[in-house]
Amino acid sequence: MGMQQLRAALLAGTVFATGCLSSSYKIPGGEVQRLASLAPEARGQRVRVVQQINEDNAAPAQPASGETQIIFMPRIGIDISDDDYRRGGYGGGYNGGGFNGGGWGGGRGGSGGGAHGSGIKTGGGMNLGGSSGAGDGKAAAILVLAAAAVILVAAAGVEGSRFDGFAQLHPMQPVHLYSRDGRYAVMPLAWIDPQTAAMTDHAIVRSAEGPFHELERAPLDRAGFTYGMYGGAGTYTSIDHSKTTGTATTIQLGYFPDQKIGVVGSIFFGWRDNAFNDTLFESRYTLELQGYPVQAGPVHLGLYGGGGAAYRFEGLGAMNPNNGNESSGALIGGTMLQLDVNTRIALTARLGLTRAHDEAMTDAMVGISVY
């Protein structure tokens, strides 16, 4: 399977979650300000929108259509009563005065859902070897990995299905405005003045309230929470000093304050069979700093480094199952290669080096990152 087919297959696997998404799209406050600086008739040509998981709870507005005439001079100073608002209509349902004209009403609730990234928590600091032996630690790790995989599929399904990019709207598309102090107003896109835009925290538009055409998705955006899962191979040295490869897996949860730098917590599980026909099981709990300084189109090159604790449990056969147990600090570092699938999902490859138990271990893994 080629890379294009792999990316297409990953996107196809997220389609099941589309039914969980709403017809509401968030416009960030900065984008509202940008739009307000444009000529009214040009504002709908390319608008940055983010599809929401749940519908917002504002009442419906009178929808625009392809035949709706662009009106540049709104009626000023008309308060929105609940009855007028429910009926909608440009004459009674909109207040063109914005904040200064009395158009902000009392708070009617925020937009539903839509936090960037999955915000899904995983367990940490677990001693999965314990006195029950390395084999039991491996079995417990497999259960944790299975649960993490279910979470990953759900997160990738929802986040991968959401449209996050640029859309074309009608200039008279109703825009639901939410101020920074919790107040609310609704008016056509063409009527938003710079003062109203400056007081807006965010806005909501609905695809059912006007002509709404998706243009293109935005590039990969890491800002916010991230969740990922990776698998591959790693090297481990047995108590008999033999060094060979085995399974390596990692679960990660973290936060990127901007596009290129983030802090991520990792749970690592690895294992292999040893010369005693038993299991060598390795677990690590680390915190790492990730950076992606290089980008060439959809390809991103990054580095990571950090540290934490490492635990090893090695069975030495039925007569002496736990003599290989030990723990130590762990220092980790390596390189990462990412291929963005869409705005919120990337395929990630990791090549790492770990120093723990007085030995150097390597690992190579590939998986999915959700932002």
Side-chain angles (χ1 to χ4, degrees), residues 98-244:
F99 180 82
N100 293 317
W104 292 107
R108 299 174 187 260
S111 59
H116 191 152
S118 58
I120 302 170
K121 296 184 178 180
T122 60
M126 296 174 289
N127 182 336
L128 295 183
S131 59
S132 60
D136 289 345
K138 173 185 171 182
I142 291 174
L143 292 177
V144 173
L145 291 167
V150 171
I151 295 172
L152 180 67
V153 169
V158 172
E159 296 299 331
S161 297
R162 295 170 66 189
F163 181 78
D164 186 345
F166 301 92
Q168 185 179 46
L169 311 178
H170 193 283
M172 296 303 289
Q173 168 90 27
V175 180
H176 303 264
L177 300 165
Y178 295 87
S179 74
R180 294 187 179 89
D181 58 3
R183 289 181 289 175
Y184 167 87
V186 59
M187 64 184 67
L189 178 61
W191 291 5
I192 301 174
D193 61 273
Q195 286 182 311
T196 299
M199 299 177 185
T200 299
D201 177 76
H202 69 277
I204 294 292
V205 293
R206 298 177 179 139
S207 59
E209 292 181 347
F212 187 96
H213 303 289
E214 296 179 357
L215 298 177
E216 61 180 330
R217 287 181 176 267
L220 178 67
D221 184 6
R222 297 186 188 89
F225 286 100
T226 181
Y227 177 67
M229 188 174 178
Y230 319 99
T235 61
Y236 315 99
T237 301
S238 172
I239 197 170
D240 67 354
H241 305 296
S242 63
K243 186 173 185 177
T244 187

Side-chain angles (χ1 to χ4, degrees), residues 85-112:
Y85 180 70
R86 290 190 182 95
R87 287 196 298 269
Y90 298 138
Y94 291 106
N95 185 314
F99 180 82
N100 293 317
W104 292 107
R108 299 174 187 260
S111 59

Side-chain angles (χ1 to χ4, degrees), residues 273-313:
D273 294 335
N274 62 16
F276 306 97
N277 293 319
D278 214 323
T279 300
L280 184 159
F281 175 72
E282 174 89 9
S283 62
R284 303 172 197 147
Y285 308 93
T286 56
L287 190 68
E288 66 185 55
L289 181 68
Q290 295 185 357
Y292 286 91
V294 179
Q295 179 179 354
V299 178
H300 309 255
L301 181 63
L303 301 170
Y304 71 91
Y311 301 89
R312 175 166 294 171
F313 308 94

Side-chain angles (χ1 to χ4, degrees), residues 221-227 252-266 286-293 302-306 332 336 338 350 371:
D221 184 6
R222 297 186 188 89
F225 286 100
T226 181
Y227 177 67
Q252 293 195 326
L253 177 69
Y255 185 81
F256 277 70
D258 62 27
Q259 171 71 358
K260 293 188 175 182
I261 297 178
V263 178
V264 177
S266 295
T286 56
L287 190 68
E288 66 185 55
L289 181 68
Q290 295 185 357
Y292 286 91
L303 301 170
Y304 71 91
I332 61 173
M336 299 174 293
Q338 271 194 342
R350 292 167 58 93
Y371 295 97

